[in-house]
Amino acid sequence: SRARLFDEKNDTRTTFSDVAGLEGAKEEIQEIVEFLKNPEKYTSIGGKIPKGALLVGPPGTGKTLLAKAVAGEAQVPFFSLSGSDFVEMFVGVGASRVRDLFKQAKEKSPAIIFIDEIDAIGRARGKSNFSGSNDERENTLNQLLTEMDGFGTNTNVIVLAATNRAEILDKALMRAGRFDRQIYVDLPDVNERKQIFAVHLKKIKKVENLDLDFLAKQTPGFSGADIANVCNEAALTAARKGKTEVDKQDFLDAVDRIVGGLEKKNKIIT
Ligand code: ATP
């Protein structure tokens, strides 16, 4: 899939209603929707529209979803790339991909550029032992900084980037006029988990008396992605058993399976 390093999706169907919980993050990022929809309101009075914001939080908490929702709410194209795509890239390619991406976004502006896993290219410079690939990574990072500095405030391209590890990022990225805003996207609390269940259960045929409060209580520490996974696993289990509706036991089995998977993952890490 390396050929599809970035893609423009004019699919602007994701909206804030697809993002459950995260009220604080949604409120903060709403401002970016306003900038994209109505830039003159801010620039005519002499304001400078921010060029970027960093979405910071654990894996699977909805950072990508939120970025897509910004594009959907503002009805602008969404260009994306993932930092990890650059890891094995040949010399010179990373920088030219970044240049290309910004060129395309500017042509279609107003637009959103989303960079997932920005830490893969945005780690603090000069801190790796792998000298070859590190040079390439630095070139890519430098190109990103150049692009962000290069476009004027009236370009109306806003760059959103996601990371689980803001602390390892090169400080140059956070300088004024680059990713100078950070938006925190945390793991959901019990109430938010209930809302995430509700979003993901919309398309699933389930028993009428299914207790979402109960499911939310059974899933402490789960991310939104984990909950989406539970809902899908439960549906598959029920179907496998020949049921026409997903019931409480199917959900409990799915939760157990996913807890098992999470425990295995943690064992490998520690
Ligand atoms: P990563 O850091 O691993 O890239 P992420 O924070 O970007 O993760 P997403 O890719 O946005 O997470 O989330 C994965 C999927 O999990 C979403 O497509 C969605 O189905 C579900 N999900 C995560 N968070 C939420 C949420 N707050 N509301 C509804 N669904 C969610």
Side-chain angles (χ1 to χ4, degrees):
S1 70
R2 197 157 301 146
R4 229 183 42 146
L5 188 61
F6 57 82
D7 44 25
E8 175 204 346
K9 294 200 185 78
N10 270 316
D11 146 30
T12 49
R13 281 167 304 173
T14 306
T15 66
F16 285 146
S17 68
D18 298 300
V19 187
L22 299 178
E23 290 310 325
K26 276 196 260 185
E27 202 172 293
E28 280 183 68
I29 218 163
Q30 171 66 39
E31 200 182 16
I32 291 180
V33 175
E34 297 299 324
F35 292 145
L36 288 165
K37 278 166 81 172
N38 202 356
E40 296 78 18
K41 178 171 160 188
Y42 302 91
T43 54
S44 64
I45 204 167
K48 282 186 195 149
I49 291 176
K51 293 174 179 175
L54 204 56
L55 304 175
V56 183
T61 45
K63 299 183 288 298
T64 307
L65 192 65
L66 199 57
K68 280 189 182 156
V70 170
E73 293 283 342
Q75 294 285 307
V76 304
F78 180 81
F79 295 85
S80 71
L81 63 78
S82 176
S84 61
D85 293 336
F86 288 100
V87 172
E88 289 174 62
M89 199 146 285
F90 298 112
V91 176
V93 177
S96 73
R97 293 284 173 153
V98 168
R99 206 175 307 126
D100 254 27
L101 178 69
F102 277 79
K103 184 166 174 276
Q104 287 196 45
K106 276 185 262 184
E107 279 166 7
K108 295 270 166 67
S109 82
I112 284 283
I113 290 177
F114 177 63
I115 305 175
D116 201 4
E117 301 177 65
I118 193 168
D119 34 289
I121 47 175
R123 258 182 295 126
R125 281 168 286 192
K127 281 198 183 148
S128 169
N129 302 320
F130 311 103
S131 52
S133 64
N134 199 43
D135 286 349
E136 177 54 12
R137 194 181 59 75
E138 286 188 12
N139 288 341
T140 307
L141 173 57
N142 288 333
Q143 188 63 40
L144 175 62
L145 298 176
T146 303
E147 292 293 344
M148 289 190 79
D149 293 345
F151 60 74
T153 45
N154 53 0
T155 312
N156 215 7
V157 173
I158 296 184
V159 189
L160 298 175
T163 183
N164 317 322
R165 303 186 287 172
E167 71 285 354
I168 67 164
L169 291 179
D170 198 301
K171 294 288 169 286
L173 279 167
M174 268 84 100
R175 218 163 278 156
R178 295 170 181 165
F179 297 101
D180 48 11
R181 297 167 177 232
Q182 299 199 7
I183 297 173
Y184 290 90
V185 180
D186 277 325
L187 282 170
D189 64 19
V190 67
N191 221 340
E192 293 175 308
R193 291 199 299 276
K194 180 182 174 183
Q195 294 170 44
I196 297 172
F197 268 110
V199 165
H200 289 277
L201 287 175
K202 263 187 214 150
K203 286 184 189 152
I204 288 179
K205 291 186 184 132
K206 57 203 175 291
V207 293
E208 215 160 88
N209 60 356
L210 190 69
D211 183 352
L212 298 196
D213 286 301
F214 174 77
L215 292 178
K217 280 184 198 141
Q218 294 301 309
T219 47
F222 278 44
S223 67
D226 295 330
I227 292 172
N229 212 350
V230 165
C231 294
N232 194 53
E233 281 288 321
L236 296 180
T237 305
R240 201 177 300 128
K241 290 178 178 161
K243 298 181 193 171
T244 54
E245 287 178 331
V246 191
D247 63 27
K248 181 176 168 182
Q249 193 56 48
D250 300 320
F251 281 98
L252 287 177
D253 291 347
V255 168
D256 276 349
R257 204 162 321 133
I258 284 160
V259 168
L262 292 176
E263 277 170 1
K264 249 188 231 151
K265 238 197 277 173
N266 290 338
K267 256 183 213 139
I268 292 165
I269 293 165
T270 52

PDB file of all heavy atoms in Angstrom, residues 47-68:
ATOM      1  N   GLY A  47      -6.223  39.525  11.803  1.00  0.00           N
ATOM      2  CA  GLY A  47      -5.829  38.296  12.509  1.00  0.00           C
ATOM      3  C   GLY A  47      -5.088  37.345  11.584  1.00  0.00           C
ATOM      4  O   GLY A  47      -5.267  37.391  10.366  1.00  0.00           O
ATOM      5  N   LYS A  48      -4.233  36.528  12.187  1.00  0.00           N
ATOM      6  CA  LYS A  48      -3.528  35.499  11.415  1.00  0.00           C
ATOM      7  C   LYS A  48      -4.131  34.146  11.751  1.00  0.00           C
ATOM      8  O   LYS A  48      -4.146  33.743  12.915  1.00  0.00           O
ATOM      9  CB  LYS A  48      -2.039  35.478  11.773  1.00  0.00           C
ATOM     10  CG  LYS A  48      -1.242  36.582  11.144  1.00  0.00           C
ATOM     11  CD  LYS A  48       0.242  36.372  11.434  1.00  0.00           C
ATOM     12  CE  LYS A  48       1.016  37.650  11.142  1.00  0.00           C
ATOM     13  NZ  LYS A  48       2.181  37.783  12.009  1.00  0.00           N
ATOM     14  N   ILE A  49      -4.589  33.457  10.732  1.00  0.00           N
ATOM     15  CA  ILE A  49      -5.179  32.148  10.960  1.00  0.00           C
ATOM     16  C   ILE A  49      -4.072  31.141  11.236  1.00  0.00           C
ATOM     17  O   ILE A  49      -3.062  31.121  10.534  1.00  0.00           O
ATOM     18  CB  ILE A  49      -6.037  31.739   9.736  1.00  0.00           C
ATOM     19  CG1 ILE A  49      -7.271  32.647   9.701  1.00  0.00           C
ATOM     20  CG2 ILE A  49      -6.429  30.271   9.787  1.00  0.00           C
ATOM     21  CD1 ILE A  49      -8.164  32.456   8.517  1.00  0.00           C
ATOM     22  N   PRO A  50      -4.234  30.323  12.291  1.00  0.00           N
ATOM     23  CA  PRO A  50      -3.175  29.351  12.605  1.00  0.00           C
ATOM     24  C   PRO A  50      -2.976  28.360  11.465  1.00  0.00           C
ATOM     25  O   PRO A  50      -3.910  28.041  10.736  1.00  0.00           O
ATOM     26  CB  PRO A  50      -3.683  28.646  13.860  1.00  0.00           C
ATOM     27  CG  PRO A  50      -5.112  28.963  13.968  1.00  0.00           C
ATOM     28  CD  PRO A  50      -5.355  30.243  13.235  1.00  0.00           C
ATOM     29  N   LYS A  51      -1.733  27.903  11.324  1.00  0.00           N
ATOM     30  CA  LYS A  51      -1.418  26.978  10.235  1.00  0.00           C
ATOM     31  C   LYS A  51      -1.547  25.526  10.642  1.00  0.00           C
ATOM     32  O   LYS A  51      -1.700  24.657   9.798  1.00  0.00           O
ATOM     33  CB  LYS A  51      -0.002  27.237   9.745  1.00  0.00           C
ATOM     34  CG  LYS A  51       0.157  28.577   9.081  1.00  0.00           C
ATOM     35  CD  LYS A  51       1.609  28.838   8.758  1.00  0.00           C
ATOM     36  CE  LYS A  51       1.765  30.189   8.074  1.00  0.00           C
ATOM     37  NZ  LYS A  51       3.190  30.482   7.870  1.00  0.00           N
ATOM     38  N   GLY A  52      -1.424  25.286  11.940  1.00  0.00           N
ATOM     39  CA  GLY A  52      -1.466  23.888  12.344  1.00  0.00           C
ATOM     40  C   GLY A  52      -1.876  23.678  13.780  1.00  0.00           C
ATOM     41  O   GLY A  52      -1.798  24.585  14.606  1.00  0.00           O
ATOM     42  N   ALA A  53      -2.344  22.474  14.066  1.00  0.00           N
ATOM     43  CA  ALA A  53      -2.638  22.066  15.436  1.00  0.00           C
ATOM     44  C   ALA A  53      -2.247  20.603  15.596  1.00  0.00           C
ATOM     45  O   ALA A  53      -2.351  19.817  14.656  1.00  0.00           O
ATOM     46  CB  ALA A  53      -4.119  22.260  15.751  1.00  0.00           C
ATOM     47  N   LEU A  54      -1.783  20.305  16.804  1.00  0.00           N
ATOM     48  CA  LEU A  54      -1.332  18.958  17.119  1.00  0.00           C
ATOM     49  C   LEU A  54      -2.412  18.266  17.948  1.00  0.00           C
ATOM     50  O   LEU A  54      -2.869  18.800  18.947  1.00  0.00           O
ATOM     51  CB  LEU A  54      -0.049  19.086  17.937  1.00  0.00           C
ATOM     52  CG  LEU A  54       0.951  17.951  17.973  1.00  0.00           C
ATOM     53  CD1 LEU A  54       1.397  17.559  16.577  1.00  0.00           C
ATOM     54  CD2 LEU A  54       2.141  18.376  18.831  1.00  0.00           C
ATOM     55  N   LEU A  55      -2.822  17.078  17.512  1.00  0.00           N
ATOM     56  CA  LEU A  55      -3.762  16.272  18.282  1.00  0.00           C
ATOM     57  C   LEU A  55      -2.954  15.248  19.067  1.00  0.00           C
ATOM     58  O   LEU A  55      -2.254  14.426  18.476  1.00  0.00           O
ATOM     59  CB  LEU A  55      -4.750  15.563  17.358  1.00  0.00           C
ATOM     60  CG  LEU A  55      -5.540  16.470  16.417  1.00  0.00           C
ATOM     61  CD1 LEU A  55      -6.396  15.649  15.463  1.00  0.00           C
ATOM     62  CD2 LEU A  55      -6.423  17.408  17.226  1.00  0.00           C
ATOM     63  N   VAL A  56      -3.034  15.344  20.391  1.00  0.00           N
ATOM     64  CA  VAL A  56      -2.175  14.521  21.233  1.00  0.00           C
ATOM     65  C   VAL A  56      -3.006  13.565  22.082  1.00  0.00           C
ATOM     66  O   VAL A  56      -3.938  13.994  22.759  1.00  0.00           O
ATOM     67  CB  VAL A  56      -1.341  15.414  22.185  1.00  0.00           C
ATOM     68  CG1 VAL A  56      -0.394  14.562  23.013  1.00  0.00           C
ATOM     69  CG2 VAL A  56      -0.573  16.464  21.407  1.00  0.00           C
ATOM     70  N   GLY A  57      -2.672  12.287  22.037  1.00  0.00           N
ATOM     71  CA  GLY A  57      -3.380  11.330  22.885  1.00  0.00           C
ATOM     72  C   GLY A  57      -3.060   9.896  22.541  1.00  0.00           C
ATOM     73  O   GLY A  57      -2.456   9.631  21.505  1.00  0.00           O
ATOM     74  N   PRO A  58      -3.497   8.971  23.406  1.00  0.00           N
ATOM     75  CA  PRO A  58      -3.205   7.542  23.214  1.00  0.00           C
ATOM     76  C   PRO A  58      -3.794   6.996  21.894  1.00  0.00           C
ATOM     77  O   PRO A  58      -4.698   7.618  21.324  1.00  0.00           O
ATOM     78  CB  PRO A  58      -3.894   6.870  24.413  1.00  0.00           C
ATOM     79  CG  PRO A  58      -4.253   7.941  25.356  1.00  0.00           C
ATOM     80  CD  PRO A  58      -4.306   9.220  24.599  1.00  0.00           C
ATOM     81  N   PRO A  59      -3.293   5.854  21.444  1.00  0.00           N
ATOM     82  CA  PRO A  59      -3.787   5.239  20.201  1.00  0.00           C
ATOM     83  C   PRO A  59      -5.285   4.952  20.257  1.00  0.00           C
ATOM     84  O   PRO A  59      -5.813   4.620  21.321  1.00  0.00           O
ATOM     85  CB  PRO A  59      -3.018   3.910  20.120  1.00  0.00           C
ATOM     86  CG  PRO A  59      -1.837   4.054  21.001  1.00  0.00           C
ATOM     87  CD  PRO A  59      -2.199   5.055  22.049  1.00  0.00           C
ATOM     88  N   GLY A  60      -5.936   5.097  19.133  1.00  0.00           N
ATOM     89  CA  GLY A  60      -7.331   4.675  19.012  1.00  0.00           C
ATOM     90  C   GLY A  60      -8.354   5.557  19.685  1.00  0.00           C
ATOM     91  O   GLY A  60      -9.500   5.163  19.871  1.00  0.00           O
ATOM     92  N   THR A  61      -7.967   6.783  20.051  1.00  0.00           N
ATOM     93  CA  THR A  61      -8.895   7.642  20.786  1.00  0.00           C
ATOM     94  C   THR A  61      -9.705   8.569  19.881  1.00  0.00           C
ATOM     95  O   THR A  61     -10.507   9.353  20.374  1.00  0.00           O
ATOM     96  CB  THR A  61      -8.139   8.482  21.838  1.00  0.00           C
ATOM     97  OG1 THR A  61      -6.964   9.021  21.230  1.00  0.00           O
ATOM     98  CG2 THR A  61      -7.751   7.635  23.026  1.00  0.00           C
ATOM     99  N   GLY A  62      -9.457   8.505  18.571  1.00  0.00           N
ATOM    100  CA  GLY A  62     -10.297   9.283  17.664  1.00  0.00           C
ATOM    101  C   GLY A  62      -9.628  10.497  17.050  1.00  0.00           C
ATOM    102  O   GLY A  62     -10.312  11.388  16.540  1.00  0.00           O
ATOM    103  N   LYS A  63      -8.307  10.518  17.038  1.00  0.00           N
ATOM    104  CA  LYS A  63      -7.607  11.686  16.477  1.00  0.00           C
ATOM    105  C   LYS A  63      -7.843  11.797  14.969  1.00  0.00           C
ATOM    106  O   LYS A  63      -8.146  12.877  14.457  1.00  0.00           O
ATOM    107  CB  LYS A  63      -6.106  11.605  16.793  1.00  0.00           C
ATOM    108  CG  LYS A  63      -5.825  11.607  18.297  1.00  0.00           C
ATOM    109  CD  LYS A  63      -4.347  11.601  18.633  1.00  0.00           C
ATOM    110  CE  LYS A  63      -3.672  10.272  18.358  1.00  0.00           C
ATOM    111  NZ  LYS A  63      -4.226   9.159  19.165  1.00  0.00           N
ATOM    112  N   THR A  64      -7.703  10.664  14.284  1.00  0.00           N
ATOM    113  CA  THR A  64      -7.942  10.663  12.841  1.00  0.00           C
ATOM    114  C   THR A  64      -9.405  11.005  12.542  1.00  0.00           C
ATOM    115  O   THR A  64      -9.703  11.807  11.647  1.00  0.00           O
ATOM    116  CB  THR A  64      -7.601   9.273  12.246  1.00  0.00           C
ATOM    117  OG1 THR A  64      -6.273   8.927  12.647  1.00  0.00           O
ATOM    118  CG2 THR A  64      -7.697   9.274  10.739  1.00  0.00           C
ATOM    119  N   LEU A  65     -10.281  10.390  13.330  1.00  0.00           N
ATOM    120  CA  LEU A  65     -11.714  10.629  13.175  1.00  0.00           C
ATOM    121  C   LEU A  65     -12.045  12.116  13.331  1.00  0.00           C
ATOM    122  O   LEU A  65     -12.808  12.687  12.541  1.00  0.00           O
ATOM    123  CB  LEU A  65     -12.436   9.803  14.244  1.00  0.00           C
ATOM    124  CG  LEU A  65     -13.936   9.643  14.147  1.00  0.00           C
ATOM    125  CD1 LEU A  65     -14.298   8.859  12.888  1.00  0.00           C
ATOM    126  CD2 LEU A  65     -14.470   8.916  15.385  1.00  0.00           C
ATOM    127  N   LEU A  66     -11.451  12.745  14.339  1.00  0.00           N
ATOM    128  CA  LEU A  66     -11.686  14.153  14.612  1.00  0.00           C
ATOM    129  C   LEU A  66     -11.178  15.025  13.458  1.00  0.00           C
ATOM    130  O   LEU A  66     -11.856  15.970  13.036  1.00  0.00           O
ATOM    131  CB  LEU A  66     -10.974  14.525  15.918  1.00  0.00           C
ATOM    132  CG  LEU A  66     -11.390  15.778  16.661  1.00  0.00           C
ATOM    133  CD1 LEU A  66     -12.877  15.743  16.996  1.00  0.00           C
ATOM    134  CD2 LEU A  66     -10.581  15.911  17.955  1.00  0.00           C
ATOM    135  N   ALA A  67     -10.007  14.684  12.923  1.00  0.00           N
ATOM    136  CA  ALA A  67      -9.455  15.454  11.801  1.00  0.00           C
ATOM    137  C   ALA A  67     -10.370  15.338  10.576  1.00  0.00           C
ATOM    138  O   ALA A  67     -10.649  16.329   9.895  1.00  0.00           O
ATOM    139  CB  ALA A  67      -8.047  14.956  11.468  1.00  0.00           C
ATOM    140  N   LYS A  68     -10.865  14.123  10.330  1.00  0.00           N
ATOM    141  CA  LYS A  68     -11.793  13.929   9.207  1.00  0.00           C
ATOM    142  C   LYS A  68     -13.083  14.705   9.427  1.00  0.00           C
ATOM    143  O   LYS A  68     -13.672  15.235   8.484  1.00  0.00           O
ATOM    144  CB  LYS A  68     -12.142  12.448   9.049  1.00  0.00           C
ATOM    145  CG  LYS A  68     -11.084  11.657   8.326  1.00  0.00           C
ATOM    146  CD  LYS A  68     -11.585  10.258   8.017  1.00  0.00           C
ATOM    147  CE  LYS A  68     -10.495   9.449   7.340  1.00  0.00           C
ATOM    148  NZ  LYS A  68     -10.691   7.998   7.530  1.00  0.00           N
TER     149      LYS A  68
END
